[in-house]
Amino acid sequence: DVGDALEIDWSIEDGYYLYKNKLGFASRTGALILGTPVLPQGLEHEDEFFGRQEIYRERFYARVPYTIIGVRPPSIELEIRSQGCADLGLCYPPQVWVEEIALDAARLDKPLIDLSGLGRSGSDEFLPVDEAFRPALFPIDGNTIEVSWQVAPGYYLYKDKIKVTTTSGAVQLGRLELPPGKLKFDEFFGESEVYLEDAFARLPLARATPDAMDLELMLDYQGCAEAGLCYPPTTRTLTVRLPEAATVGTLAATDPPLSEQGRLAKLITGSSLWAVIVTFFGIGLLLALTPCVLPMVPILSSIIAGEGKDTTPVRGFVLALSYVLGMSIVYTAAGVVAVAAGLQVQAAFNAPWVVTLFAGLFVVLAVAMFGGYDVQMPSAIQTRLASISGAQQRGTTVGAFIMGALSALIVTACVAPALVAALAVMAQTGDMLRGGISLFAMSLGMGAPLLLVGAAQGHLLPKAGAWMTTIKVGFGFMLLGLAVWMLSRILPDGVTVTLWGVLIFMVGVFLGGLTTIGTESTSAQKIGKGFGVLFLLYGIVLLVGALAGGTSVIRPLAGLGLGGGQGNLAEAHGLEFKRIKTVADFERELDAASVAGRTVMLDFYADWCVSCKEMEAFTFTNPQVQSVLADTVLLQADVTANDEDDQALLERFGVFGPPTIIFFGADGRQRDGYEVVGYMKAEKFADHVQRAFATDPTVTARQD
C-alpha cells in the first residue's frame, strides 16, 4: 500500500508464465473502490490453449489504484484472479486468491502471489505427458490388438478423448472396445468418464490378407493431473507386429474365418501371375452364367444379326472378340480408376441418368431391329436414327468394341467376391498391376462364351428371307427387355411390373396369340399360337397385378391377397430390416443389441443393385433363413444415394458395393471372415449364418 494504490510484486517460477488478459482484481471491502489496473507490457506468445497471447515471465509489477469511501479501514480484502501455464505443456485452471492487506503497511514483506509452488505436486514436479500416460500395443491374435495406457498415480485420462487411427491401407480398424471408466467432475470438461488407473482396450481388425505384418497406429488421447493441471491433446505413433491371421485366434479354432474374397485376395498377392490369370479367368467363366452377364448375349446377337447375309463364322467371331475386348478393357479401367480416386464406380455407373441413357440406346437399337425407321417421321430424326442404326447394322469391329465398352455398365451392376478381392488388393496394397490383371482375366472369362455365340451365329443365322426378319424382331424384343431390366434399377416396382406386362403381351401378339389357326396352318404356326396365348395371359396377369399394387414379376397377384392372403404377402416381403443411415446409427443399434445379448446382421443394399433384389426375392424369403435369423437384429444400410453418409458407412467397413452382408456377435464384435459378397442361395446362406454365429460363445451358451 502506497497511500492511493496497491503495488503487487509478482514472482513467477522459471518455466512458467501468466496470461496478461487473465489477470483481474476486485475489492471485497465495501469502503474500497478499485480503479483500472496498470500492467506492464508483456511478451508475445503463441500456445495451443489460447492462440496468440501477451504473457509475463520471471517477475513483473502491477499497480492497482483505489479510492476510500468514508472512514479508512485498517485492512482490506483483495480478490486476485489469474491463469498460467507451464512450458512443458501443462495449463492451470483459472485461479482465485483472496488476500488481506493492511493499509497502514508501507510495504508487504512478500509478494501477494507466488507461483513458485504451482509447478509442483507436493515436493515432486508434474510428470511429462509420456510419463504420466504410457501407451502400449500388444497383438492378442492376428485380428485383434490390445491398446493400453499406464496411468501414473495422481493423474487421469479422459475416455471420450481416446481415438485410434491408421494411415495404412492394409487393414480396416474396427470399433475400439474401451472399458467403463469412473465419473469425475473437473473444471476443464465438466462431468466426464475418466480412467484413474491403467486402461486396457480391444481393437478388432479386418484384413484383406492374413500374412504377418507391421501395423502403424496413431493414438490420440488427453489427460490431467489431480492437482489441477491439464495436458494438451496428445498424439503418439506406435507400431505393432501382427501374426498371421489364419493361424491365431478363437475363430480359426472352428473353421478358418477367411471369406471367399479374402482367399482370392491372398491368391493375388501370394501366387504366381499365371495362377492368378487362370483362376480369375475360370471365375469369369462361372460368372458368365449369372444374370449380370447373360443380358450381353442379345446385345451381341443383335450386332451380328445386323450383318445380314454376309455373316460368316469368322466374321461373327471377330465381332464377338471386339465386343469382349471393349467390355474387358473398360471394366478393368473402371475398377483401377475407382480405387485410385476412391470412387464408388458401381454407384456412378448406376446413376439414374446413366441408366436412362443406356436403356434409351437399347430402345433405339430395338426400333432398328423392328424396321421402325421406315415409318413416317420427320426427316431430320429419321436421318439421325438411320445413321445410328446403320453403324450397328454394318456390324463394324469398331462399333462392336464401342457396344462392348458400354456393356461394361451391365457387369458393374453386380458385386462378386472376385471383384472385391481385386479391388481390395489394389486399395490396400497399392498393387494396381496384379489387381488390374485379375480384373482383366475375370472379364475375359465372362466374355469367353460370347465368342462361341458369335461364331455359332455366323454359322446358324439364316442368310436371307422371312426368317431373317423374324430373328431380327426377336432380338428387338430382347433389347426392349434389356431396357426394362436396366430401368428396373431406378423405377418403382409397380412401374417396372407394368412395363414387363406390356412387353410380354406384345411378344404374345408377335407369336400369333391373337391370330386364327386353321386346318391349313403349319406346325410352327400352331406352336407359335400356343406360346403366344401363354405370353398374352401372363402379360394380362402382370398388368392386373400392377393395377392392384403388385410389385413382383414372380408374384404379380400378391397385392390381391390370392393364394394365402396376408400370410403369403408377408412371406413375399421376407425379412424385416431396420434402416440405418450413418455410422452413428449403426454404433447405436449395435450397442443396444449387445446390451440385449443379440447378434446383428448388417446388409448393404441399393435400389440399382440387381443381386440385392435377388437376395430379397429368393434368399430372404426362405423359411430356413428366417428361422436362423429369428433372434438376430437385422440392420440395412441403403446406399442408393451414395451421399457422404453412405460413403462414410461403406468406408467404415471397407465395403466396395452392395450386396455385402456383415455379421456381429452378441458381444458386439464383427465376425471377421464371414462377410457375404454378392448373391448367395438360401440353403447355403442359412448354413453360412449358423457357422458365423457358432463362433460366438454368448450365442452358444444361450442355445445350450
Side-chain angles (χ1 to χ4, degrees):
D1 176 26
V2 294
D4 60 354
L6 300 174
E7 291 186 353
I8 304 171
D9 181 1
W10 213 308
S11 177
I12 303 174
E13 181 80 4
D14 290 342
Y16 296 81
Y17 55 89
L18 282 177
Y19 294 105
K20 180 179 180 180
N21 65 356
K22 302 296 182 180
L23 290 174
F25 306 91
S27 171
R28 291 198 175 185
T29 302
L32 185 73
I33 305 299
L34 298 181
T36 302
V38 179
L39 298 173
Q41 184 174 354
L43 304 172
E44 288 191 0
H45 178 75
E46 181 83 27
D47 67 19
E48 63 272 28
F49 296 101
F50 301 107
R52 184 175 296 276
Q53 293 286 323
E54 194 172 348
I55 64 170
Y56 296 122
R57 292 183 180 275
E58 297 178 353
R59 192 170 186 175
F60 72 95
Y61 297 89
R63 179 181 176 88
V64 184
Y66 67 85
T67 303
I68 301 295
I69 300 177
V71 180
R72 182 181 181 88
S75 64
I76 55 97
E77 287 189 340
L78 179 66
E79 178 183 298
I80 306 169
R81 296 184 298 274
S82 68
Q83 187 174 10
C85 293
D87 289 330
L88 56 82
L90 301 174
C91 188
Y92 292 86
Q95 306 290 322
V96 178
W97 288 270
V98 177
E99 292 287 340
E100 184 175 356
I101 304 173
L103 293 185
D104 57 353
R107 179 180 177 86
L108 295 175
D109 57 2
K110 67 174 182 178
L112 293 182
I113 299 177
D114 184 359
L115 294 186
S116 61
L118 290 181
R120 306 177 183 276
S121 177
S123 60
D124 298 325
E125 293 186 357
F126 285 105
L127 296 174
V129 64
D130 290 330
E131 295 183 18
F133 313 105
R134 297 178 182 269
L137 301 176
F138 178 78
I140 297 177
D141 56 46
N143 291 308
T144 312
I145 295 175
E146 180 183 82
V147 186
S148 66
W149 284 266
Q150 184 179 2
V151 182
Y155 296 79
Y156 56 90
L157 199 62
Y158 292 104
K159 180 179 180 180
D160 62 352
K161 303 297 182 183
I162 293 176
K163 182 181 179 182
V164 181
T165 57
T166 182
T167 57
S168 172
V171 300
Q172 180 74 34
L173 300 184
R175 182 170 61 106
L176 185 64
E177 302 169 7
L178 289 164
K182 296 183 179 180
L183 292 179
K184 178 180 176 61
F185 183 88
D186 64 21
E187 61 271 30
F188 298 101
F189 300 105
E191 188 173 63
S192 304
E193 195 171 355
V194 302
Y195 298 119
L196 300 174
E197 299 176 349
D198 297 349
F200 299 88
R202 292 170 63 92
L203 179 65
L205 309 171
R207 302 168 58 178
T209 60
D211 301 331
M213 61 181 297
D214 290 327
L215 177 62
E216 190 175 80
L217 297 177
M218 279 75 71
L219 279 59
D220 297 325
Y221 52 94
Q222 186 174 11
C224 295
E226 295 280 8
L229 290 175
C230 187
Y231 293 86
T234 304
T235 300
R236 293 292 181 265
T237 300
L238 284 75
T239 301
V240 61
R241 179 68 178 176
L242 293 178
E244 290 189 11
T247 59
V248 182
T250 57
L251 296 180
T254 304
D255 193 13
L258 195 59
S259 60
E260 183 178 352
Q261 58 270 18
R263 292 193 296 271
L264 291 173
K266 184 177 181 180
L267 172 70
I268 296 175
T269 57
S271 301
S272 68
L273 200 56
W274 283 112
V276 172
I277 293 173
V278 171
T279 301
F280 275 77
F281 184 85
I283 293 173
L285 286 175
L286 297 177
L287 291 175
L289 303 177
T290 63
C292 288
V293 181
L294 286 177
M296 291 192 293
V297 174
I299 299 176
L300 177 61
S301 299
S302 66
I303 295 173
I304 298 176
E307 287 282 284
K309 62 181 180 179
D310 297 327
T311 305
T312 64
V314 174
R315 179 63 173 167
F317 181 85
V318 171
L319 291 174
L321 179 61
S322 181
Y323 179 89
V324 170
L325 288 175
M327 181 269 294
S328 300
I329 291 173
V330 172
Y331 182 72
T332 302
V336 174
V337 171
V339 170
L343 301 175
Q344 282 290 332
V345 67
Q346 186 191 21
F349 277 5
N350 284 280
W353 72 270
V354 176
V355 173
T356 302
L357 181 64
F358 206 53
L361 177 60
F362 286 151
V363 173
V364 170
L365 294 177
V367 173
M369 291 295 162
F370 294 140
Y373 299 154
D374 296 328
V375 300
Q376 295 291 331
M377 64 174 58
S379 58
I381 298 178
Q382 184 175 353
T383 302
R384 181 63 176 170
L385 291 175
S387 64
I388 296 175
S389 64
Q392 294 307 315
Q393 288 176 348
R394 290 192 299 273
T396 63
T397 304
V398 175
F401 183 91
I402 294 174
M403 285 302 299
L406 294 174
S407 298
L409 169 65
I410 294 177
V411 184
T412 60
C414 296
V415 170
L419 171 62
V420 172
L423 296 178
V425 167
M426 289 188 288
Q428 297 174 357
T429 68
D431 193 340
M432 299 294 181
L433 178 60
R434 280 183 168 261
I437 290 176
S438 303
L439 284 180
F440 189 71
M442 184 176 69
S443 56
L444 285 179
M446 289 188 290
L450 297 177
L451 301 179
L452 298 178
V453 172
Q457 279 194 275
H459 178 71
L460 298 176
L461 282 178
K463 299 301 185 289
W467 273 104
M468 173 56 71
T469 302
T470 302
I471 292 295
K472 290 179 65 176
V473 171
F475 285 141
F477 278 117
M478 290 182 185
L479 290 170
L480 289 179
L482 284 176
V484 175
W485 179 75
M486 292 286 293
L487 291 173
S488 67
R489 306 178 191 177
I490 59 176
L491 292 178
D493 292 336
V495 176
T496 302
V497 173
T498 302
L499 292 177
W500 279 119
V502 172
L503 179 61
I504 291 174
F505 185 89
M506 296 307 298
V507 172
V509 173
F510 172 75
L511 291 175
L514 298 179
T515 60
T516 302
I517 297 296
T519 56
E520 71 282 358
S521 300
T522 64
S523 298
Q525 290 175 323
K526 294 177 181 179
I527 293 175
K529 169 75 174 183
F531 280 105
V533 171
L534 291 177
F535 274 88
L536 287 173
L537 291 176
Y538 185 43
I540 292 173
V541 169
L542 288 174
L543 291 173
V544 172
L547 292 174
T551 58
S552 172
V553 178
I554 300 174
R555 301 181 181 89
L557 300 180
L560 297 174
L562 300 179
Q566 294 299 322
N568 188 43
L569 184 60
E571 179 186 353
H573 286 168
L575 300 174
E576 293 293 334
F577 287 92
K578 182 173 183 179
R579 288 284 177 91
I580 62 170
K581 182 63 176 176
T582 65
V583 175
D585 291 342
F586 168 76
E587 298 287 0
R588 182 183 64 253
E589 296 297 333
L590 181 64
D591 290 340
S594 298
V595 172
R598 300 180 65 186
T599 53
V600 174
M601 184 180 86
L602 174 61
D603 173 42
F604 284 88
Y605 166 90
D607 291 340
W608 38 257
C609 171
V610 178
S611 297
C612 296
K613 296 183 178 181
E614 288 184 276
M615 292 292 290
E616 286 191 336
F618 305 114
T619 301
F620 294 158
T621 56
N622 182 274
Q624 185 180 358
V625 171
Q626 295 180 357
S627 176
V628 298
L629 292 172
D631 196 37
T632 297
V633 176
L634 305 176
L635 303 178
Q636 190 173 71
D638 186 349
V639 295
T640 302
N642 194 36
D643 54 23
E644 290 184 2
D645 289 335
D646 295 342
Q647 293 174 13
L649 199 57
L650 290 167
E651 184 179 357
R652 163 69 171 79
F653 295 102
V655 173
F656 288 96
T660 299
I661 300 174
I662 304 175
F663 301 95
F664 302 84
D667 56 0
R669 297 177 60 190
Q670 181 176 337
R671 292 298 174 254
D672 295 315
Y674 289 95
E675 298 83 2
V676 173
V677 174
Y679 173 72
M680 182 178 286
K681 292 183 178 180
E683 294 77 10
K684 184 177 179 181
F685 184 79
D687 178 67
H688 185 86
V689 172
Q690 289 179 317
R691 290 173 55 212
F693 290 148
T695 60
D696 187 345
T698 307
V699 176
T700 304
R702 188 166 63 247
Q703 291 174 344
D704 294 342

